[in-house]
Amino acid sequence: MSPREASSSGGSRRRGGGIRDWLTPARATVLVIALLAIIFIFENTRQVKIRLLIPEVTMPLYLALLAMFAVGVLCGGYFFRRRVR
C-alpha cells in the first residue's frame, strides 16, 4: 500500500458536528448583525415614496428595507459562496 492510499483510506471520519463546530465567532457576528438589521427594518413602519427610475411607489418603509436586505443577502451569498472542487 502506498502512503497516498494509506492516508486517504484512514482517518477520514468526521466527528459529529454539534452547535459548537457550526457556530464560529464570524458566523455569530453575522447572525447578530442580521438580527439587528431585521429589528431595525420592522421598527420603521411609516409610509414613504420610493422612486425607481420613472415610477413612484408609496409603501411602508419596512417593506423597502426588507427588500433591500434580501437583495443584499442574495448578492452576498452569490459573490462570497465557497466553491466545491
Side-chain angles (χ1 to χ4, degrees), residues 11-83:
S12 63
R13 289 182 20 199
R14 298 175 83 182
R15 294 191 306 182
I19 189 77
R20 188 172 220 168
D21 294 333
W22 182 84
L23 190 61
T24 63
R27 287 182 179 161
T29 302
V30 168
L31 286 174
V32 168
I33 291 171
L35 182 64
L36 290 173
I38 290 171
I39 291 170
F40 175 77
I41 286 169
F42 286 108
E43 287 293 321
N44 291 288
T45 57
R46 67 169 197 239
Q47 295 285 324
V48 294
K49 291 181 183 178
I50 298 173
R51 184 173 178 177
L52 179 65
L53 300 177
I54 306 273
E56 188 173 286
V57 178
T58 301
M59 65 185 333
L61 180 57
Y62 75 90
L63 287 178
L65 291 170
L66 192 59
M68 289 299 101
F69 180 74
V71 168
V73 167
L74 289 174
C75 289
Y78 177 76
F79 286 115
F80 294 109
R81 71 176 182 223
R82 293 187 176 145
R83 300 193 186 268

